[in-house]
Amino acid sequence: MNQTMLENKADDLIAHIRKRTDHFFTWERLAAKLMVDHDTLVRIVDIVSDWEYRLKVRKNLGVAFVAPPDLLTNTEISYKLKTAWLGRTVYSFQSVKSTNDMAVKMIEKGAPEGAIVTAEEQTKGRGRFTRSWHSPPSAGIYLSIILRPALLPEDAPGIAIMTAVALADTIAHYRPGLVQIKWPNDVWINGRKTAGILTELSAERNKINHVVVGVGINVNHQARDFPEELRKIATSVRRDLRKKVDRVELLRLFLYNFECEYQKYLRYRLKKSHARIRRYSALIGHEITLAFGKNTKKGLVKDIDRNGALILQTDKGLETISAGEVTVVKE
Ligand code: BTN
């Protein structure tokens, strides 16, 4: 039996024994279930252990499932995933420079819409405005979603806002009432940045070829996992909740929320999410400075419109702003 076949059987073994945690399945029963001989079964159990599943393996009793690994693998993400099409193809890596760059490589190889790229660690994680995204091993979720929407290029920026709503809904599941979106698409818990989005577009004049939606979520970072300069302005779900969080579970929930929001976005753009965009907004009612290129503008945020643009009261009157970087001046 070749390696791929053994790995498929390893997936079957996991699916079977995880139904009853801590219960011993006899060697005979498992060999019959997987339709393999005893020696092959031993090799399959070794593969499952190498994948960092916690098992009890006893010569006389058989094999028992103890716990899955804390890894964003295909097997773990697919287990209990509620989406119809998103995340049904998973490219998972231990370490990459950037999952967004890896997603582009996968697109070149023909990755389908809804495929995702995950990594345990990024060595050159990228943020907006050519910043870096701190991506320590196994603490966060570093994810890129591959989309090929039938939309015009001008509808692409709204995808980042729609993603922020799906993220805010997801994080609010853990920290209800404490989550805000800093327009256009940073997600805060208690005023500290917890997640960011970097969408990258390939388009022609009238058509989008693909969009890569890069999402970084600080999940299990502890204070020491952040560099000094980020410690005060960034947080993680764990740091705020004071409890370790199941990254795979959070990711599954996000994929489900994203799929719902994206489906709505394709039909109604941001209209159906408008109420939530306003409710989550960290900016409405605040004085801000907005930077775009080398220019800046000051004003009071009056509202966010149905297209996701900021309505800013400046000394020139009301202005509608659809891009820029915001700093909050007055709380
Ligand atoms: C920001 O807030 O500036 C955006 C941060 C986006 C980070 C994610 S992590 C996964 C994906 N790969 C990257 O290199 N960046 C995005």
Side-chain angles (χ1 to χ4, degrees):
M1 201 175 273
N2 68 29
Q3 188 63 19
T4 314
M5 286 160 83
L6 286 170
E7 288 180 2
N8 287 339
K9 294 277 182 196
D11 270 334
D12 295 344
L13 176 66
I14 294 164
H16 186 62
I17 64 176
R18 79 184 314 161
K19 288 181 200 149
R20 287 179 74 184
T21 307
D22 269 323
H23 168 84
F24 277 99
F25 292 81
T26 63
W27 293 102
E28 293 73 26
R29 212 174 130 191
L30 289 176
K33 176 83 193 162
L34 298 179
M35 295 189 289
V36 295
D37 59 33
H38 180 82
D39 288 352
T40 310
L41 178 58
V42 171
R43 287 168 68 199
I44 294 167
V45 170
D46 282 345
I47 291 176
V48 175
S49 301
D50 286 348
W51 287 349
E52 296 184 31
Y53 283 81
R54 280 176 46 217
L55 306 175
K56 284 180 190 156
V57 183
R58 302 282 183 276
K59 229 182 173 133
N60 49 347
L61 293 174
V63 183
F65 188 89
V66 179
D70 175 23
L71 293 173
L72 305 176
T73 58
N74 185 10
T75 311
E76 282 313 296
I77 296 168
S78 320
Y79 178 65
K80 289 190 179 166
L81 181 65
K82 290 212 202 95
T83 61
W85 52 271
L86 180 62
R88 294 288 160 189
T89 302
V90 179
Y91 306 106
S92 68
F93 297 90
Q94 180 53 42
S95 178
V96 295
K97 281 187 180 162
S98 153
T99 55
N100 270 26
D101 297 346
M102 192 50 97
V104 172
K105 283 191 192 143
M106 293 307 172
I107 288 167
E108 283 159 8
K109 289 186 185 159
E113 158 141 294
I116 63 171
V117 178
T118 63
E120 291 301 314
E121 168 190 46
Q122 295 185 118
T123 53
K124 280 211 170 89
R126 293 188 285 111
R128 296 173 71 219
F129 310 108
T130 66
R131 297 199 186 108
S132 62
W133 184 257
H134 181 62
S135 314
S138 302
I141 291 176
Y142 317 115
L143 164 78
S144 296
I145 300 175
I146 293 170
L147 301 173
R148 302 174 197 277
L151 293 173
L152 294 171
E154 70 226 40
D155 286 321
I159 296 179
I161 298 182
M162 163 253 114
T163 304
V165 176
L167 253 181
D169 279 349
T170 307
I171 296 176
H173 175 81
Y174 297 84
R175 299 306 278 145
L178 303 174
V179 175
Q180 287 185 308
I181 297 174
K182 186 195 142 208
W183 184 90
N185 51 30
D186 287 356
V187 178
W188 285 357
I189 306 179
N190 268 325
R192 292 180 178 186
K193 181 153 171 173
T194 313
I197 298 159
L198 177 68
T199 49
E200 294 179 308
L201 172 73
S202 154
E204 289 157 39
R205 205 156 54 86
N206 286 323
K207 154 176 178 282
I208 292 178
N209 298 323
H210 67 247
V211 181
V212 172
V213 180
V215 178
I217 314 173
N218 300 336
V219 182
N220 282 327
H221 301 50
Q222 295 180 274
R224 60 168 182 269
D225 296 319
F226 291 104
E228 187 66 46
E229 69 273 17
L230 293 183
R231 222 162 276 171
K232 281 215 174 75
I233 55 170
T235 193
S236 71
V237 183
R238 175 185 189 165
R239 219 179 141 196
D240 198 80
L241 184 65
R242 295 173 188 279
K243 205 172 129 210
K244 197 170 178 204
V245 170
D246 185 330
R247 280 186 309 150
V248 183
E249 211 169 271
L250 193 153
L251 175 57
R252 280 192 219 114
L253 180 61
F254 171 64
L255 293 173
Y256 179 74
N257 289 338
F258 184 98
E259 190 179 270
C260 298
E261 287 300 316
Y262 180 67
Q263 230 100 269
K264 274 188 259 172
Y265 187 77
L266 292 180
R267 291 189 66 175
Y268 311 106
R269 305 301 179 266
L270 295 171
K271 314 261 175 325
K272 295 267 170 185
S273 322
H274 187 225
R276 271 176 307 145
I277 293 173
R278 296 178 75 221
R279 202 175 330 122
Y280 279 128
S281 174
L283 299 190
I284 296 177
H286 294 270
E287 296 268 0
I288 62 157
T289 303
L290 184 91
F292 46 105
K294 289 206 174 91
N295 303 319
T296 60
K297 203 177 266 227
K298 269 195 169 48
L300 172 71
V301 179
K302 299 295 277 184
D303 207 349
I304 296 177
D305 74 12
R306 281 160 68 82
N307 301 315
L310 276 192
I311 310 290
L312 197 63
Q313 173 90 61
T314 66
D315 46 15
K316 293 196 187 91
L318 282 186
E319 295 187 43
T320 305
I321 312 279
S322 46
E325 197 195 5
V326 171
T327 316
V328 180
V329 186
K330 241 197 257 156
E331 297 281 308

